[in-house]
Amino acid sequence: MTNIPPPAEELRLLDSELWQLDARRAQLLARRAWLVAALQPPKPAPAAAARPRPETGASGVQNLLLLLGGVLLTIAATAFTLVSWGHLGIAGRALVLGAVTSVALGAPVFLLRRGLRSTAESVAGLGLVLTVLDAYALHQVAFPGTGGAGYTAVASTLLAALWTAYGLLPRAAELRLPLPCALVAAQLPLFFWAMETDAGSYVVTAALLATAAFDTAVALRVTAKSVRVVGAVGAYGLGSSGVLAAGWLSWTASGPSAAARAAALLLLAAAIALVAAWQGAGEKRALGLAIASGLLTVAALGGLARSVLPELWTVPAHLACGVALLATVRIGRLPDAVRRGTAWASGAVQALAVLWALPVIGVVALAPVGWVSRAWTGAPPDARAALTLDASWPAHAAAVPVVLTAVGAVLVLVVRGEVWRPRALSGALGLTWATALVLPPVLELPYSIGLLIQGLTAVVGVAAAAYLQQTAPRFTTLALALATSLSLAFLSLATQAATLTVLAALVALFASASWQSRLAPFMAPAALAYAAALACAVGAALNWQPPHTALLVLAVPVAAALLAPRMGSPATVPVEATGAAAGVLAIGLAVTDLPLLALVLALCGVITAGTAIRPDRRSVGYVAAVLFVLATWVRLAAWEVGTPEAYTVPVTVPALLVGHLRRRRDPRTSSWTAYGPGLAATLLPSLVAAWGDAHWTRPLLLGMAALSITLLGGGHSLQAPLVLGGTVLTLDALHELAPYLIQVADALPRWVPPALAGLLLLSLGATYEQRLRDARKLRTFLGSLH
């Protein structure tokens, strides 16, 4: 048999074994820490402090010193020429300038032989500046009466030639300054020659463009990078200036002759850009230059056409020139970048033409909204008058259909490719739609014909959406059809008959298209929306008040609730959302009549409760409950019931019942979740009313109800009834005792309240720890409740 030791002996043995285990554990932890430290790699020794690096190199210091020296010598030479020049005779002047210039230009060759390149560059720069000063001095002495512009043209030509020759010398060719400076000087001769001869703005612009052409040739042909950079800057700068001047001359041309000269200048600029794009520019630059060339060509030919055609055809003429650019894309010998740039230029012209037509399209699409404030005031005489109630008709609108049709035809016939073809078809559909809307007001067709054309446009749009297979064109057509129907609905507000007919036709159109699954998410909500509008129009035609019309509008939520589960998943949510919006509209219409508002709310609750029967819409039942409660409250308000319990008890009883059923299903449910909302819905408003009630009946009944709830909460260990009931009972009792407390406070001396507060604080401080323990016990007790 097993010998079992006494309990005291067994306890001693257990303590001994536990102590041994703790000691062994401490040894193992110490060994583990040593092993971890031994396995870690040794930390690298801190690197020696880095020696401070110099902030600039020797070459940088050398170049800076040379630059400063050259600048100072240049300033000194300039000051000598401008200030001290007059103190010397002619011989002295010539001797000084000649000697200094010769030395400055000859020294770089000697310095280059010695390998002093930076010094040579600085001295060469000084020599170039001295040649400019020589030219200035020569003008002051030998040619004082010569015009400044003419002399500048001649001097800049000679300086450009001199600097070019100097830069091409065998040894001086290693210098980087002479050739770029020569090209800078070459920018001036033609411009100042044109200014000197007073040849007019056309010749000055031609001089700018000719100089830009020369710069373009230099930038494309010369191998030196510095010269190419200067040439590119000159080409872009002078070319842009010449293009702006030529464009202004074309815009302000007073006749065909002036327009032809301006067009020639623009074509010259276009030719320069085209040659630059063709002759080896980079891919992106070639594309940009080709676009610029195409736009300049259109501007030239369009300006020439504008001078001989009426102003109405200005935009169509430019558009025709832009479309004609597409013919050059077919030329096989053109580089790919040039072809793409020309196509982009044509597209830009077409886009600008459509942008010009947007004001007319905007008036046609948005002006019908103005009929909302003039509903059923009478039909206008024609389609244009129907759109010009609050807006003016844009000028030259007669050319808009031509522009839209031409651009749409180009999109259909020219654009190809898997990516761009669907986009082009979508754009063509939009332009066709805009043309159909613009034609009636442009032609001033009768009002009824305008309505008919818009209606046919909507029908064709819906039919095309049902027929098209590609996603982008189909959605574009759907959007255009819906926009057309909206404009048509607003436009029909002119007369009662037109309004009812159009709305009924739109309901029938969209309802018939809703049975196609691809169109149902769009067509079904539109049909319901127009049905709600038709219900309002019928009510207004029958002279019903808005609250009575609300009952007619409720047919739309009923239809939405019945159709939503049968339309399929993509259309269910849009249909339900439209029905909900119609319900909100009905509530808004009935808000001025409380009895009818209560009826409308109750009917909306019935519709919502019917929707909540579906398994996937159980949560809508909460909305139905809210609507029923609101209907009850509105009915009580209509009966002029002012007792808050009449509003709160119908909410409290169902809420408590639902909470009780939930706790029976899931006993772990908190009492605050099950009973808190229901109890608070009645107790809190009643408490507020009791505090403002001068009689004793309400406080007494409230106190009894709060006492009962407190006892029930304590008996069933429920936290929410216990806390809410006890709090309301305490506040209610305090309200009843308040008059007596006020009397007692008035009877007491004024020093008593501070003394009592001080004693309270002293007692709390003395028993602080005991109070904390009591608070913990109270928290534990409340936490033990459900």
Side-chain angles (χ1 to χ4, degrees), residues 576-646:
E576 290 177 342
T578 307
V584 173
L585 174 62
I587 294 172
L589 291 173
V591 75
T592 57
D593 191 331
L594 293 182
L596 279 176
L597 178 59
L599 178 59
V600 169
L601 288 171
L603 293 176
C604 289
V606 172
I607 298 170
T608 309
T611 302
I613 296 175
R614 292 160 47 193
D616 58 336
R617 292 292 185 268
R618 297 297 189 193
S619 59
V620 182
Y622 296 104
V623 180
V626 172
L627 290 172
F628 283 130
V629 170
L630 290 176
T632 304
W633 288 356
V634 172
R635 173 53 64 183
L636 292 174
W639 288 338
E640 299 182 355
V641 176
T643 304
E645 289 77 11

Side-chain angles (χ1 to χ4, degrees), residues 318-409:
H318 284 79
L319 178 61
C321 297
V323 173
L325 282 179
L326 295 175
T328 61
V329 179
R330 303 296 181 183
I331 301 176
R333 291 177 296 176
L334 289 177
D336 182 65
V338 175
R339 285 201 301 270
R340 288 190 290 112
T342 304
W344 276 104
S346 176
V349 173
Q350 297 176 59
L352 290 174
V354 174
L355 186 64
W356 170 80
L358 281 183
V360 178
I361 300 174
V363 170
V364 174
L366 301 178
V369 180
W371 281 102
V372 173
S373 59
R374 297 179 176 85
W376 298 356
T377 56
D382 54 62
R384 183 182 297 182
L387 301 174
T388 54
L389 297 174
D390 301 315
S392 59
W393 188 245
H396 311 306
V400 170
V402 178
V403 170
L404 297 177
T405 303
V407 177

Side-chain angles (χ1 to χ4, degrees), residues 208-210 212-214 216 220 235 239 267-277 289 293:
L208 291 174
L209 293 176
F214 170 73
T216 302
L220 292 175
L267 289 176
L268 174 60
I272 295 172
L274 181 60
V275 170
L289 290 170
S293 176

Side-chain angles (χ1 to χ4, degrees), residues 72-87 130 133:
L72 292 176
L73 288 175
T74 302
I75 294 174
T78 305
F80 169 77
T81 304
L82 297 177
V83 178
S84 301
W85 179 256
H87 300 292
L130 288 175
L133 296 177

